[in-house]
Amino acid sequence: MRRHQLDIQLKTPDQIDKMRAAGLVVAEALRRMREAVAPGVSTADLDAIAEATIREAGAVPSFKGYHGFPASICSSVNEQVVHAIPSAQQVLRDGDLISIDCGAVLDGWHGDAAITVGVGEVEPALLKMAAVAEDAMWAGIAAAARGAASGKGRLTDISHAVENAVRKGGRYGIVDGYGGHGIGTEMHQDPHVLNHGRPGKGPRLVPGMALAIEPMITMGSPRTVELADGWTVVTRDRSMAVHVEHSMALLPDGVWVLTAFDGGRARLGDLVTARQPADSPTA
C-alpha cells in the first residue's frame, strides 16, 4: 500500500521483519567499525570492514554505486557533515570525530544508520555534542511512537522533538536541508523528515511507516557547502559536526528501532513493540 500525495510506502508486519534483518546487518557493520576506530586507521580501512561485514551476511551495500557513490560508507570527519567519501589518505588522528553512515539491502529491503565516534582523546565539548545529537534522535523516535499510539501524531512532531532536544542540550547549529527520510524497498523514500519545525504538521504517523531519523548538528553555524567532489558536505564556517541515525518502523503495538540490536528497548522501554524480545542484546 502507498499513501497518496507523498507516496508513503506502508509496510506489513512481515515486510518490517525483513527490514529488521537488513537493519541488523547495518548494526553489526557499525559495531565492527566502532571497535576499529583509532588513530592511524584510514577511512578506507573502515569502508573495507563495512563491505566485508555486509557481504558476509548475504546483503549488498546500499551506498555503493548509489548515484555513482564509490564506497560502502560515508565517513565524515570533523567539519565534514555527511557524504564524505572514504579514502586511504584520510587517516584518523587523536582528537578527531568521525560520523560513519552505513546502509545495506537484504532481500530487497534497506537498513540505514549512522554513528559518531571519537578518536582517541577527544575534547569533552565535542563528546557532549555527539551525545546531544544521540539524545535528540531518540527523542524523535519516542515522539513518533507516542504519536502513532495516540492516533493523533503528525510527521513534524518528530522534527519538533528533535529540535527541542538539541536546543535543551546547548547552543548548536541544526543543519538545514538535510534530514531523515522514509525507507523500505528504496533507501530514500517519502517523507523527508526535517530536524526542526513546528509540531502537528504533515501526514499522520500510522503503523506501517518506516523512517530513518538522523539529526546533524554543529558547534557553529548550521550553514553548509558541498565540496568539488560532488558529495562531501562541510560546515561553511568549518566548525565541528556530528551525525547520528537509526531506521525505525511503527507497528500497531509500538515502535521497532530496526538498526538497534535491542530494538530500542534500553532507550524507549515499553514504547517498543513486543516483536522485539525484552531480553535482546543491547551491544
Side-chain angles (χ1 to χ4, degrees):
M1 284 192 303
R2 290 179 181 264
R3 293 173 66 87
H4 295 297
Q5 298 177 336
L6 283 179
D7 196 26
I8 297 173
Q9 183 186 69
L10 296 182
K11 287 80 174 174
T12 67
D14 286 346
Q15 290 170 336
I16 291 172
D17 283 341
K18 293 180 179 180
M19 291 189 68
R20 171 60 166 167
L24 288 174
V25 174
V26 173
E28 177 61 16
L30 287 171
R31 184 191 69 78
R32 294 185 187 182
M33 285 186 283
R34 183 190 292 275
E35 291 182 350
V37 167
V41 173
S42 76
T43 54
D45 294 333
L46 298 176
D47 184 67
I49 291 170
E51 181 162 7
T53 304
I54 291 167
R55 295 196 185 278
E56 284 170 12
V60 175
S62 300
F63 295 3
K64 197 164 191 177
Y66 182 74
H67 295 291
F69 191 77
S72 297
I73 63 169
C74 299
S75 52
S76 305
V77 180
N78 296 337
E79 76 277 6
Q80 297 170 343
V81 183
V82 286
H83 303 161
I85 300 169
S87 167
Q89 284 69 51
Q90 186 160 45
V91 177
L92 299 177
R93 298 176 298 178
D94 196 62
D96 284 345
L97 276 182
I98 179 170
S99 297
I100 306 170
D101 195 355
C102 181
V105 56
L106 180 65
D107 295 331
W109 295 90
H110 287 258
D112 187 9
I115 56 175
T116 292
V117 185
V119 183
E121 294 293 324
V122 178
E123 290 182 20
L126 298 179
L127 296 178
K128 180 188 175 186
M129 178 172 61
V132 168
E134 185 95 2
D135 289 345
M137 175 185 65
W138 286 107
I141 295 170
R146 294 189 181 100
S150 71
K152 299 178 181 179
R154 297 279 187 172
L155 182 69
T156 63
D157 296 349
I158 300 171
S159 308
H160 186 67
V162 170
E163 180 178 11
N164 269 357
V166 173
R167 299 301 182 210
K168 289 178 182 177
R171 297 185 64 180
Y172 302 107
I174 300 176
V175 175
D176 198 11
Y178 298 90
H181 51 87
I183 185 169
T185 51
E186 298 88 29
M187 181 166 54
H188 295 114
Q189 298 181 328
D190 286 339
H192 183 56
V193 187
L194 291 172
N195 289 315
H196 57 86
R198 297 175 60 186
K201 307 293 183 181
R204 289 196 181 277
L205 298 169
V206 297
M209 290 182 77
L211 303 169
I213 311 301
E214 51 180 319
M216 304 165 208
I217 65 176
T218 73
M219 287 293 284
S221 169
R223 299 183 69 187
T224 61
V225 62
E226 187 177 273
L227 298 185
D229 64 13
W231 287 102
T232 306
V233 176
V234 302
T235 53
R236 187 179 291 271
D237 62 3
R238 297 304 191 265
S239 62
M240 299 285 268
V242 297
H243 170 212
V244 295
E245 176 185 18
H246 267 311
S247 297
M248 63 92 175
L250 297 172
L251 289 106
D253 69 337
V255 68
W256 202 355
V257 184
L258 303 170
T259 47
F261 284 116
D262 72 343
R265 184 79 63 186
R267 295 293 301 249
L268 302 175
D270 291 342
L271 290 175
V272 173
T273 174
R275 294 174 83 89
Q276 173 64 36
D279 59 353
S280 293
T282 58

